[in-house]
Amino acid sequence: MNLEQASRQLEALGNPTRLQLYRTLVRAGPAGLPVGGLQERIGIAASTLSHHLKRLVETGLVTQERQATTLICRAHYPAMDALIGYLADECCADAGCVAVAAAAS
Amino acid sequence: MNLEQASRQLEALGNPTRLQLYRTLVRAGPAGLPVGGLQERIGIAASTLSHHLKRLVETGLVTQERQATTLICRAHYPAMDALIGYLADECCADAGCVAVAAAAS
DNA sequence: CCTCTATTTCCATCATACCGGAAGGATAGA
DNA sequence: TCTATCCTTCCGGTATGATGGAAATAGAGG
């Protein structure tokens, strides 16, 4: 994980629609959700949704698996782990950060 | 911490220059750095730097303290804690996330 | 008041993001 | 093959972001 990759992932999550999208996928759990299901829940145009999803997939935060004509989307936890780890490292380099202190306890 | 605030902070960090800025401030530790010191290290125009800093301050990720004519900037750890906490909650709502498992151990 | 330094705001330019309608694949089933 | 569904890509408009030079502001000190 380097600064460029981290910033790309952060930017991907730094849009309310995409963050909501990611959140929805997390709440959907390991089963994931098809693109159409996401569209129902979020309520945006299919093309807009596809753009956002593409961004999340490109940055590795979401994976997609084809099942016949439907595309199942899932939150890709390892990517979020790595991102949080990077932020925590940056944040807590001087051990002044509560998050790592809590994790260490 | 709600979705809008989280996405604004994520967007603020989702720019390579701003993430580098934040990282520099974290590495500077509690003493912080003046704006001019940041400019030396990052090497961008003062106006550009000021724009980026404004964004980081507005989102609460960085604080500023005036000392005579110089402005000392510091990473504001509680904000990062809250953001990481939000991401971890979203990510690990179904306990499928390694980060929280590690924190819990 | 004048000046010097530090920083911000103003302003303009260029690039990129966001949005969604319309058209174009991809896949399954009749 | 024909059709229907699901999703993506193409395209256009509008908005927002990034960048930095120039001018303005803030504070310290003569």
Side-chain angles (χ1 to χ4, degrees), chain A residues 14-54:
Chain A
N15 171 281
T17 303
R18 283 195 297 268
L19 187 54
Q20 189 184 358
L21 221 44
Y22 183 79
R23 185 182 141 103
T24 303
L25 286 178
V26 167
R27 298 208 178 285
L33 273 177
V35 176
L38 281 168
Q39 192 188 357
E40 275 182 15
R41 274 160 227 246
I42 309 278
I44 56 178
S47 60
T48 305
L49 174 60
S50 186
H51 291 313
H52 284 310
L53 273 178
K54 185 179 180 183

PDB file of all heavy atoms in Angstrom, chain A residues 14-54:
ATOM      1  N   GLY A  14     -14.783   8.652  -0.980  1.00  0.00           N
ATOM      2  CA  GLY A  14     -15.049  10.027  -0.604  1.00  0.00           C
ATOM      3  C   GLY A  14     -16.163  10.673  -1.401  1.00  0.00           C
ATOM      4  O   GLY A  14     -16.227  11.884  -1.522  1.00  0.00           O
ATOM      5  N   ASN A  15     -17.046   9.864  -1.902  1.00  0.00           N
ATOM      6  CA  ASN A  15     -18.234  10.362  -2.595  1.00  0.00           C
ATOM      7  C   ASN A  15     -19.444   9.746  -1.897  1.00  0.00           C
ATOM      8  O   ASN A  15     -19.496   8.532  -1.702  1.00  0.00           O
ATOM      9  CB  ASN A  15     -18.180   9.939  -4.066  1.00  0.00           C
ATOM     10  CG  ASN A  15     -19.474  10.224  -4.798  1.00  0.00           C
ATOM     11  OD1 ASN A  15     -20.428   9.475  -4.672  1.00  0.00           O
ATOM     12  ND2 ASN A  15     -19.494  11.288  -5.557  1.00  0.00           N
ATOM     13  N   PRO A  16     -20.392  10.565  -1.486  1.00  0.00           N
ATOM     14  CA  PRO A  16     -21.500  10.051  -0.672  1.00  0.00           C
ATOM     15  C   PRO A  16     -22.209   8.863  -1.314  1.00  0.00           C
ATOM     16  O   PRO A  16     -22.513   7.889  -0.631  1.00  0.00           O
ATOM     17  CB  PRO A  16     -22.438  11.254  -0.569  1.00  0.00           C
ATOM     18  CG  PRO A  16     -21.584  12.443  -0.795  1.00  0.00           C
ATOM     19  CD  PRO A  16     -20.499  12.013  -1.729  1.00  0.00           C
ATOM     20  N   THR A  17     -22.434   8.946  -2.618  1.00  0.00           N
ATOM     21  CA  THR A  17     -23.119   7.840  -3.289  1.00  0.00           C
ATOM     22  C   THR A  17     -22.292   6.560  -3.215  1.00  0.00           C
ATOM     23  O   THR A  17     -22.811   5.484  -2.914  1.00  0.00           O
ATOM     24  CB  THR A  17     -23.390   8.205  -4.753  1.00  0.00           C
ATOM     25  OG1 THR A  17     -24.142   9.414  -4.808  1.00  0.00           O
ATOM     26  CG2 THR A  17     -24.167   7.104  -5.439  1.00  0.00           C
ATOM     27  N   ARG A  18     -20.998   6.680  -3.477  1.00  0.00           N
ATOM     28  CA  ARG A  18     -20.162   5.480  -3.460  1.00  0.00           C
ATOM     29  C   ARG A  18     -19.993   4.942  -2.049  1.00  0.00           C
ATOM     30  O   ARG A  18     -19.960   3.722  -1.843  1.00  0.00           O
ATOM     31  CB  ARG A  18     -18.795   5.786  -4.085  1.00  0.00           C
ATOM     32  CG  ARG A  18     -18.836   5.839  -5.600  1.00  0.00           C
ATOM     33  CD  ARG A  18     -17.444   5.782  -6.202  1.00  0.00           C
ATOM     34  NE  ARG A  18     -16.635   6.912  -5.826  1.00  0.00           N
ATOM     35  CZ  ARG A  18     -16.539   8.041  -6.527  1.00  0.00           C
ATOM     36  NH1 ARG A  18     -17.203   8.161  -7.652  1.00  0.00           N
ATOM     37  NH2 ARG A  18     -15.770   9.025  -6.123  1.00  0.00           N
ATOM     38  N   LEU A  19     -19.912   5.838  -1.078  1.00  0.00           N
ATOM     39  CA  LEU A  19     -19.787   5.357   0.295  1.00  0.00           C
ATOM     40  C   LEU A  19     -21.070   4.621   0.705  1.00  0.00           C
ATOM     41  O   LEU A  19     -21.021   3.574   1.355  1.00  0.00           O
ATOM     42  CB  LEU A  19     -19.511   6.533   1.242  1.00  0.00           C
ATOM     43  CG  LEU A  19     -19.182   6.170   2.688  1.00  0.00           C
ATOM     44  CD1 LEU A  19     -18.034   5.179   2.779  1.00  0.00           C
ATOM     45  CD2 LEU A  19     -18.859   7.416   3.506  1.00  0.00           C
ATOM     46  N   GLN A  20     -22.189   5.177   0.288  1.00  0.00           N
ATOM     47  CA  GLN A  20     -23.462   4.515   0.565  1.00  0.00           C
ATOM     48  C   GLN A  20     -23.521   3.157  -0.121  1.00  0.00           C
ATOM     49  O   GLN A  20     -24.003   2.170   0.446  1.00  0.00           O
ATOM     50  CB  GLN A  20     -24.601   5.409   0.062  1.00  0.00           C
ATOM     51  CG  GLN A  20     -25.979   4.934   0.471  1.00  0.00           C
ATOM     52  CD  GLN A  20     -27.075   5.805  -0.135  1.00  0.00           C
ATOM     53  OE1 GLN A  20     -26.788   6.782  -0.833  1.00  0.00           O
ATOM     54  NE2 GLN A  20     -28.316   5.450   0.130  1.00  0.00           N
ATOM     55  N   LEU A  21     -23.000   3.125  -1.330  1.00  0.00           N
ATOM     56  CA  LEU A  21     -22.939   1.892  -2.099  1.00  0.00           C
ATOM     57  C   LEU A  21     -22.105   0.846  -1.351  1.00  0.00           C
ATOM     58  O   LEU A  21     -22.525  -0.304  -1.167  1.00  0.00           O
ATOM     59  CB  LEU A  21     -22.267   2.217  -3.432  1.00  0.00           C
ATOM     60  CG  LEU A  21     -22.790   1.626  -4.719  1.00  0.00           C
ATOM     61  CD1 LEU A  21     -24.294   1.696  -4.783  1.00  0.00           C
ATOM     62  CD2 LEU A  21     -22.199   2.398  -5.896  1.00  0.00           C
ATOM     63  N   TYR A  22     -20.940   1.264  -0.942  1.00  0.00           N
ATOM     64  CA  TYR A  22     -20.040   0.353  -0.231  1.00  0.00           C
ATOM     65  C   TYR A  22     -20.692  -0.129   1.062  1.00  0.00           C
ATOM     66  O   TYR A  22     -20.677  -1.321   1.373  1.00  0.00           O
ATOM     67  CB  TYR A  22     -18.719   1.054   0.068  1.00  0.00           C
ATOM     68  CG  TYR A  22     -17.723   0.140   0.730  1.00  0.00           C
ATOM     69  CD1 TYR A  22     -16.994  -0.778  -0.010  1.00  0.00           C
ATOM     70  CD2 TYR A  22     -17.540   0.173   2.105  1.00  0.00           C
ATOM     71  CE1 TYR A  22     -16.093  -1.633   0.594  1.00  0.00           C
ATOM     72  CE2 TYR A  22     -16.643  -0.687   2.720  1.00  0.00           C
ATOM     73  CZ  TYR A  22     -15.925  -1.583   1.964  1.00  0.00           C
ATOM     74  OH  TYR A  22     -15.053  -2.436   2.577  1.00  0.00           O
ATOM     75  N   ARG A  23     -21.285   0.810   1.760  1.00  0.00           N
ATOM     76  CA  ARG A  23     -21.966   0.491   3.012  1.00  0.00           C
ATOM     77  C   ARG A  23     -23.082  -0.530   2.795  1.00  0.00           C
ATOM     78  O   ARG A  23     -23.242  -1.475   3.573  1.00  0.00           O
ATOM     79  CB  ARG A  23     -22.541   1.794   3.572  1.00  0.00           C
ATOM     80  CG  ARG A  23     -23.189   1.706   4.906  1.00  0.00           C
ATOM     81  CD  ARG A  23     -23.729   3.103   5.258  1.00  0.00           C
ATOM     82  NE  ARG A  23     -25.006   3.021   5.927  1.00  0.00           N
ATOM     83  CZ  ARG A  23     -25.155   3.181   7.251  1.00  0.00           C
ATOM     84  NH1 ARG A  23     -24.113   3.437   7.990  1.00  0.00           N
ATOM     85  NH2 ARG A  23     -26.334   3.087   7.799  1.00  0.00           N
ATOM     86  N   THR A  24     -23.817  -0.324   1.738  1.00  0.00           N
ATOM     87  CA  THR A  24     -24.895  -1.256   1.410  1.00  0.00           C
ATOM     88  C   THR A  24     -24.348  -2.651   1.143  1.00  0.00           C
ATOM     89  O   THR A  24     -24.912  -3.652   1.591  1.00  0.00           O
ATOM     90  CB  THR A  24     -25.671  -0.752   0.185  1.00  0.00           C
ATOM     91  OG1 THR A  24     -26.160   0.562   0.447  1.00  0.00           O
ATOM     92  CG2 THR A  24     -26.838  -1.680  -0.143  1.00  0.00           C
ATOM     93  N   LEU A  25     -23.226  -2.706   0.439  1.00  0.00           N
ATOM     94  CA  LEU A  25     -22.620  -4.008   0.146  1.00  0.00           C
ATOM     95  C   LEU A  25     -22.101  -4.671   1.410  1.00  0.00           C
ATOM     96  O   LEU A  25     -22.220  -5.889   1.571  1.00  0.00           O
ATOM     97  CB  LEU A  25     -21.482  -3.838  -0.863  1.00  0.00           C
ATOM     98  CG  LEU A  25     -21.936  -3.562  -2.293  1.00  0.00           C
ATOM     99  CD1 LEU A  25     -20.747  -3.354  -3.209  1.00  0.00           C
ATOM    100  CD2 LEU A  25     -22.820  -4.698  -2.802  1.00  0.00           C
ATOM    101  N   VAL A  26     -21.529  -3.868   2.303  1.00  0.00           N
ATOM    102  CA  VAL A  26     -21.055  -4.436   3.562  1.00  0.00           C
ATOM    103  C   VAL A  26     -22.227  -5.028   4.326  1.00  0.00           C
ATOM    104  O   VAL A  26     -22.159  -6.158   4.831  1.00  0.00           O
ATOM    105  CB  VAL A  26     -20.344  -3.369   4.406  1.00  0.00           C
ATOM    106  CG1 VAL A  26     -20.143  -3.868   5.824  1.00  0.00           C
ATOM    107  CG2 VAL A  26     -19.022  -2.995   3.779  1.00  0.00           C
ATOM    108  N   ARG A  27     -23.320  -4.280   4.380  1.00  0.00           N
ATOM    109  CA  ARG A  27     -24.491  -4.746   5.132  1.00  0.00           C
ATOM    110  C   ARG A  27     -25.129  -5.965   4.471  1.00  0.00           C
ATOM    111  O   ARG A  27     -25.817  -6.744   5.135  1.00  0.00           O
ATOM    112  CB  ARG A  27     -25.509  -3.621   5.268  1.00  0.00           C
ATOM    113  CG  ARG A  27     -24.966  -2.436   6.035  1.00  0.00           C
ATOM    114  CD  ARG A  27     -26.028  -1.654   6.760  1.00  0.00           C
ATOM    115  NE  ARG A  27     -25.447  -0.555   7.508  1.00  0.00           N
ATOM    116  CZ  ARG A  27     -24.778  -0.694   8.652  1.00  0.00           C
ATOM    117  NH1 ARG A  27     -24.626  -1.888   9.178  1.00  0.00           N
ATOM    118  NH2 ARG A  27     -24.256   0.344   9.264  1.00  0.00           N
ATOM    119  N   ALA A  28     -24.911  -6.097   3.186  1.00  0.00           N
ATOM    120  CA  ALA A  28     -25.464  -7.260   2.487  1.00  0.00           C
ATOM    121  C   ALA A  28     -24.717  -8.531   2.884  1.00  0.00           C
ATOM    122  O   ALA A  28     -25.228  -9.638   2.690  1.00  0.00           O
ATOM    123  CB  ALA A  28     -25.394  -7.040   0.982  1.00  0.00           C
ATOM    124  N   GLY A  29     -23.512  -8.366   3.394  1.00  0.00           N
ATOM    125  CA  GLY A  29     -22.757  -9.530   3.848  1.00  0.00           C
ATOM    126  C   GLY A  29     -22.133 -10.309   2.704  1.00  0.00           C
ATOM    127  O   GLY A  29     -22.105  -9.844   1.571  1.00  0.00           O
ATOM    128  N   PRO A  30     -21.647 -11.506   3.025  1.00  0.00           N
ATOM    129  CA  PRO A  30     -20.900 -12.316   2.054  1.00  0.00           C
ATOM    130  C   PRO A  30     -21.724 -12.685   0.825  1.00  0.00           C
ATOM    131  O   PRO A  30     -21.149 -12.976  -0.229  1.00  0.00           O
ATOM    132  CB  PRO A  30     -20.545 -13.582   2.841  1.00  0.00           C
ATOM    133  CG  PRO A  30     -20.687 -13.204   4.273  1.00  0.00           C
ATOM    134  CD  PRO A  30     -21.737 -12.153   4.328  1.00  0.00           C
ATOM    135  N   ALA A  31     -23.031 -12.689   0.944  1.00  0.00           N
ATOM    136  CA  ALA A  31     -23.871 -13.040  -0.198  1.00  0.00           C
ATOM    137  C   ALA A  31     -23.761 -11.992  -1.288  1.00  0.00           C
ATOM    138  O   ALA A  31     -23.928 -12.273  -2.469  1.00  0.00           O
ATOM    139  CB  ALA A  31     -25.327 -13.199   0.245  1.00  0.00           C
ATOM    140  N   GLY A  32     -23.503 -10.767  -0.893  1.00  0.00           N
ATOM    141  CA  GLY A  32     -23.412  -9.693  -1.859  1.00  0.00           C
ATOM    142  C   GLY A  32     -24.760  -9.296  -2.412  1.00  0.00           C
ATOM    143  O   GLY A  32     -25.811  -9.758  -1.930  1.00  0.00           O
ATOM    144  N   LEU A  33     -24.724  -8.469  -3.416  1.00  0.00           N
ATOM    145  CA  LEU A  33     -25.957  -7.975  -4.050  1.00  0.00           C
ATOM    146  C   LEU A  33     -25.712  -7.824  -5.546  1.00  0.00           C
ATOM    147  O   LEU A  33     -24.629  -7.423  -5.956  1.00  0.00           O
ATOM    148  CB  LEU A  33     -26.340  -6.606  -3.482  1.00  0.00           C
ATOM    149  CG  LEU A  33     -27.194  -6.536  -2.219  1.00  0.00           C
ATOM    150  CD1 LEU A  33     -27.391  -5.094  -1.805  1.00  0.00           C
ATOM    151  CD2 LEU A  33     -28.537  -7.223  -2.446  1.00  0.00           C
ATOM    152  N   PRO A  34     -26.738  -8.113  -6.353  1.00  0.00           N
ATOM    153  CA  PRO A  34     -26.601  -7.845  -7.782  1.00  0.00           C
ATOM    154  C   PRO A  34     -26.694  -6.332  -8.031  1.00  0.00           C
ATOM    155  O   PRO A  34     -27.213  -5.591  -7.189  1.00  0.00           O
ATOM    156  CB  PRO A  34     -27.805  -8.568  -8.395  1.00  0.00           C
ATOM    157  CG  PRO A  34     -28.798  -8.658  -7.302  1.00  0.00           C
ATOM    158  CD  PRO A  34     -28.021  -8.734  -6.022  1.00  0.00           C
ATOM    159  N   VAL A  35     -26.195  -5.917  -9.180  1.00  0.00           N
ATOM    160  CA  VAL A  35     -26.215  -4.498  -9.520  1.00  0.00           C
ATOM    161  C   VAL A  35     -27.639  -3.963  -9.469  1.00  0.00           C
ATOM    162  O   VAL A  35     -27.888  -2.870  -8.937  1.00  0.00           O
ATOM    163  CB  VAL A  35     -25.599  -4.282 -10.922  1.00  0.00           C
ATOM    164  CG1 VAL A  35     -25.691  -2.824 -11.327  1.00  0.00           C
ATOM    165  CG2 VAL A  35     -24.152  -4.745 -10.940  1.00  0.00           C
ATOM    166  N   GLY A  36     -28.553  -4.738  -9.988  1.00  0.00           N
ATOM    167  CA  GLY A  36     -29.946  -4.307  -9.973  1.00  0.00           C
ATOM    168  C   GLY A  36     -30.482  -4.096  -8.569  1.00  0.00           C
ATOM    169  O   GLY A  36     -31.243  -3.162  -8.313  1.00  0.00           O
ATOM    170  N   GLY A  37     -30.094  -4.969  -7.661  1.00  0.00           N
ATOM    171  CA  GLY A  37     -30.505  -4.830  -6.266  1.00  0.00           C
ATOM    172  C   GLY A  37     -29.973  -3.550  -5.659  1.00  0.00           C
ATOM    173  O   GLY A  37     -30.668  -2.857  -4.911  1.00  0.00           O
ATOM    174  N   LEU A  38     -28.733  -3.233  -6.012  1.00  0.00           N
ATOM    175  CA  LEU A  38     -28.152  -1.982  -5.536  1.00  0.00           C
ATOM    176  C   LEU A  38     -28.933  -0.793  -6.092  1.00  0.00           C
ATOM    177  O   LEU A  38     -29.213   0.170  -5.375  1.00  0.00           O
ATOM    178  CB  LEU A  38     -26.691  -1.881  -5.975  1.00  0.00           C
ATOM    179  CG  LEU A  38     -25.696  -2.689  -5.143  1.00  0.00           C
ATOM    180  CD1 LEU A  38     -24.336  -2.752  -5.827  1.00  0.00           C
ATOM    181  CD2 LEU A  38     -25.567  -2.079  -3.755  1.00  0.00           C
ATOM    182  N   GLN A  39     -29.287  -0.894  -7.351  1.00  0.00           N
ATOM    183  CA  GLN A  39     -30.009   0.219  -7.971  1.00  0.00           C
ATOM    184  C   GLN A  39     -31.336   0.470  -7.266  1.00  0.00           C
ATOM    185  O   GLN A  39     -31.711   1.610  -7.001  1.00  0.00           O
ATOM    186  CB  GLN A  39     -30.237  -0.073  -9.454  1.00  0.00           C
ATOM    187  CG  GLN A  39     -30.724   1.168 -10.209  1.00  0.00           C
ATOM    188  CD  GLN A  39     -31.144   0.856 -11.627  1.00  0.00           C
ATOM    189  OE1 GLN A  39     -31.019  -0.280 -12.077  1.00  0.00           O
ATOM    190  NE2 GLN A  39     -31.639   1.859 -12.315  1.00  0.00           N
ATOM    191  N   GLU A  40     -32.034  -0.616  -6.937  1.00  0.00           N
ATOM    192  CA  GLU A  40     -33.300  -0.480  -6.200  1.00  0.00           C
ATOM    193  C   GLU A  40     -33.102   0.248  -4.878  1.00  0.00           C
ATOM    194  O   GLU A  40     -33.857   1.143  -4.517  1.00  0.00           O
ATOM    195  CB  GLU A  40     -33.884  -1.860  -5.911  1.00  0.00           C
ATOM    196  CG  GLU A  40     -34.710  -2.431  -7.045  1.00  0.00           C
ATOM    197  CD  GLU A  40     -35.280  -3.786  -6.650  1.00  0.00           C
ATOM    198  OE1 GLU A  40     -35.266  -4.108  -5.442  1.00  0.00           O
ATOM    199  OE2 GLU A  40     -35.728  -4.532  -7.550  1.00  0.00           O
ATOM    200  N   ARG A  41     -32.063  -0.173  -4.162  1.00  0.00           N
ATOM    201  CA  ARG A  41     -31.848   0.391  -2.828  1.00  0.00           C
ATOM    202  C   ARG A  41     -31.377   1.830  -2.881  1.00  0.00           C
ATOM    203  O   ARG A  41     -31.760   2.660  -2.055  1.00  0.00           O
ATOM    204  CB  ARG A  41     -30.803  -0.438  -2.081  1.00  0.00           C
ATOM    205  CG  ARG A  41     -31.441  -1.632  -1.383  1.00  0.00           C
ATOM    206  CD  ARG A  41     -30.392  -2.676  -1.069  1.00  0.00           C
ATOM    207  NE  ARG A  41     -30.881  -3.987  -1.469  1.00  0.00           N
ATOM    208  CZ  ARG A  41     -31.150  -4.959  -0.615  1.00  0.00           C
ATOM    209  NH1 ARG A  41     -30.973  -4.772   0.663  1.00  0.00           N
ATOM    210  NH2 ARG A  41     -31.604  -6.109  -1.043  1.00  0.00           N
ATOM    211  N   ILE A  42     -30.486   2.128  -3.817  1.00  0.00           N
ATOM    212  CA  ILE A  42     -29.885   3.458  -3.855  1.00  0.00           C
ATOM    213  C   ILE A  42     -30.762   4.423  -4.654  1.00  0.00           C
ATOM    214  O   ILE A  42     -30.839   5.614  -4.325  1.00  0.00           O
ATOM    215  CB  ILE A  42     -28.471   3.398  -4.462  1.00  0.00           C
ATOM    216  CG1 ILE A  42     -27.650   2.326  -3.766  1.00  0.00           C
ATOM    217  CG2 ILE A  42     -27.796   4.752  -4.389  1.00  0.00           C
ATOM    218  CD1 ILE A  42     -27.034   2.732  -2.477  1.00  0.00           C
ATOM    219  N   GLY A  43     -31.379   3.920  -5.699  1.00  0.00           N
ATOM    220  CA  GLY A  43     -32.291   4.768  -6.452  1.00  0.00           C
ATOM    221  C   GLY A  43     -31.607   5.776  -7.359  1.00  0.00           C
ATOM    222  O   GLY A  43     -31.949   6.953  -7.357  1.00  0.00           O
ATOM    223  N   ILE A  44     -30.624   5.341  -8.127  1.00  0.00           N
ATOM    224  CA  ILE A  44     -30.002   6.217  -9.115  1.00  0.00           C
ATOM    225  C   ILE A  44     -30.065   5.530 -10.474  1.00  0.00           C
ATOM    226  O   ILE A  44     -30.380   4.344 -10.572  1.00  0.00           O
ATOM    227  CB  ILE A  44     -28.535   6.528  -8.757  1.00  0.00           C
ATOM    228  CG1 ILE A  44     -27.745   5.231  -8.599  1.00  0.00           C
ATOM    229  CG2 ILE A  44     -28.448   7.369  -7.495  1.00  0.00           C
ATOM    230  CD1 ILE A  44     -26.283   5.445  -8.306  1.00  0.00           C
ATOM    231  N   ALA A  45     -29.747   6.290 -11.514  1.00  0.00           N
ATOM    232  CA  ALA A  45     -29.789   5.746 -12.869  1.00  0.00           C
ATOM    233  C   ALA A  45     -28.784   4.612 -13.002  1.00  0.00           C
ATOM    234  O   ALA A  45     -27.719   4.623 -12.368  1.00  0.00           O
ATOM    235  CB  ALA A  45     -29.473   6.840 -13.881  1.00  0.00           C
ATOM    236  N   ALA A  46     -29.122   3.648 -13.830  1.00  0.00           N
ATOM    237  CA  ALA A  46     -28.265   2.478 -14.001  1.00  0.00           C
ATOM    238  C   ALA A  46     -26.881   2.869 -14.482  1.00  0.00           C
ATOM    239  O   ALA A  46     -25.873   2.323 -14.013  1.00  0.00           O
ATOM    240  CB  ALA A  46     -28.908   1.505 -14.985  1.00  0.00           C
ATOM    241  N   SER A  47     -26.813   3.825 -15.386  1.00  0.00           N
ATOM    242  CA  SER A  47     -25.504   4.200 -15.910  1.00  0.00           C
ATOM    243  C   SER A  47     -24.656   4.863 -14.824  1.00  0.00           C
ATOM    244  O   SER A  47     -23.465   4.582 -14.707  1.00  0.00           O
ATOM    245  CB  SER A  47     -25.648   5.130 -17.105  1.00  0.00           C
ATOM    246  OG  SER A  47     -26.334   6.304 -16.753  1.00  0.00           O
ATOM    247  N   THR A  48     -25.284   5.712 -14.045  1.00  0.00           N
ATOM    248  CA  THR A  48     -24.558   6.352 -12.944  1.00  0.00           C
ATOM    249  C   THR A  48     -24.034   5.297 -11.975  1.00  0.00           C
ATOM    250  O   THR A  48     -22.871   5.324 -11.568  1.00  0.00           O
ATOM    251  CB  THR A  48     -25.489   7.319 -12.197  1.00  0.00           C
ATOM    252  OG1 THR A  48     -26.038   8.246 -13.132  1.00  0.00           O
ATOM    253  CG2 THR A  48     -24.745   8.072 -11.128  1.00  0.00           C
ATOM    254  N   LEU A  49     -24.898   4.373 -11.634  1.00  0.00           N
ATOM    255  CA  LEU A  49     -24.493   3.298 -10.729  1.00  0.00           C
ATOM    256  C   LEU A  49     -23.315   2.532 -11.285  1.00  0.00           C
ATOM    257  O   LEU A  49     -22.355   2.232 -10.575  1.00  0.00           O
ATOM    258  CB  LEU A  49     -25.684   2.364 -10.497  1.00  0.00           C
ATOM    259  CG  LEU A  49     -25.400   1.111  -9.687  1.00  0.00           C
ATOM    260  CD1 LEU A  49     -24.885   1.451  -8.303  1.00  0.00           C
ATOM    261  CD2 LEU A  49     -26.656   0.246  -9.592  1.00  0.00           C
ATOM    262  N   SER A  50     -23.364   2.245 -12.558  1.00  0.00           N
ATOM    263  CA  SER A  50     -22.297   1.479 -13.182  1.00  0.00           C
ATOM    264  C   SER A  50     -20.966   2.229 -13.110  1.00  0.00           C
ATOM    265  O   SER A  50     -19.917   1.640 -12.852  1.00  0.00           O
ATOM    266  CB  SER A  50     -22.659   1.186 -14.637  1.00  0.00           C
ATOM    267  OG  SER A  50     -21.719   0.323 -15.228  1.00  0.00           O
ATOM    268  N   HIS A  51     -21.028   3.553 -13.327  1.00  0.00           N
ATOM    269  CA  HIS A  51     -19.818   4.364 -13.215  1.00  0.00           C
ATOM    270  C   HIS A  51     -19.207   4.242 -11.814  1.00  0.00           C
ATOM    271  O   HIS A  51     -18.013   4.007 -11.653  1.00  0.00           O
ATOM    272  CB  HIS A  51     -20.128   5.831 -13.499  1.00  0.00           C
ATOM    273  CG  HIS A  51     -20.480   6.120 -14.918  1.00  0.00           C
ATOM    274  ND1 HIS A  51     -19.750   5.634 -15.980  1.00  0.00           N
ATOM    275  CD2 HIS A  51     -21.483   6.844 -15.461  1.00  0.00           C
ATOM    276  CE1 HIS A  51     -20.294   6.054 -17.113  1.00  0.00           C
ATOM    277  NE2 HIS A  51     -21.353   6.783 -16.828  1.00  0.00           N
ATOM    278  N   HIS A  52     -20.060   4.410 -10.819  1.00  0.00           N
ATOM    279  CA  HIS A  52     -19.569   4.373  -9.440  1.00  0.00           C
ATOM    280  C   HIS A  52     -19.011   2.996  -9.099  1.00  0.00           C
ATOM    281  O   HIS A  52     -17.959   2.871  -8.477  1.00  0.00           O
ATOM    282  CB  HIS A  52     -20.703   4.737  -8.480  1.00  0.00           C
ATOM    283  CG  HIS A  52     -21.016   6.207  -8.456  1.00  0.00           C
ATOM    284  ND1 HIS A  52     -20.050   7.172  -8.300  1.00  0.00           N
ATOM    285  CD2 HIS A  52     -22.185   6.880  -8.568  1.00  0.00           C
ATOM    286  CE1 HIS A  52     -20.624   8.377  -8.313  1.00  0.00           C
ATOM    287  NE2 HIS A  52     -21.915   8.225  -8.473  1.00  0.00           N
ATOM    288  N   LEU A  53     -19.735   1.970  -9.496  1.00  0.00           N
ATOM    289  CA  LEU A  53     -19.281   0.618  -9.200  1.00  0.00           C
ATOM    290  C   LEU A  53     -17.936   0.339  -9.848  1.00  0.00           C
ATOM    291  O   LEU A  53     -17.046  -0.273  -9.238  1.00  0.00           O
ATOM    292  CB  LEU A  53     -20.311  -0.405  -9.692  1.00  0.00           C
ATOM    293  CG  LEU A  53     -21.433  -0.730  -8.716  1.00  0.00           C
ATOM    294  CD1 LEU A  53     -22.404  -1.710  -9.341  1.00  0.00           C
ATOM    295  CD2 LEU A  53     -20.858  -1.309  -7.421  1.00  0.00           C
ATOM    296  N   LYS A  54     -17.792   0.809 -11.080  1.00  0.00           N
ATOM    297  CA  LYS A  54     -16.534   0.610 -11.790  1.00  0.00           C
ATOM    298  C   LYS A  54     -15.376   1.187 -10.978  1.00  0.00           C
ATOM    299  O   LYS A  54     -14.315   0.568 -10.848  1.00  0.00           O
ATOM    300  CB  LYS A  54     -16.619   1.277 -13.156  1.00  0.00           C
ATOM    301  CG  LYS A  54     -15.428   1.036 -14.046  1.00  0.00           C
ATOM    302  CD  LYS A  54     -15.627   1.718 -15.392  1.00  0.00           C
ATOM    303  CE  LYS A  54     -14.439   1.491 -16.320  1.00  0.00           C
ATOM    304  NZ  LYS A  54     -14.618   2.229 -17.598  1.00  0.00           N
TER     305      LYS A  54
END
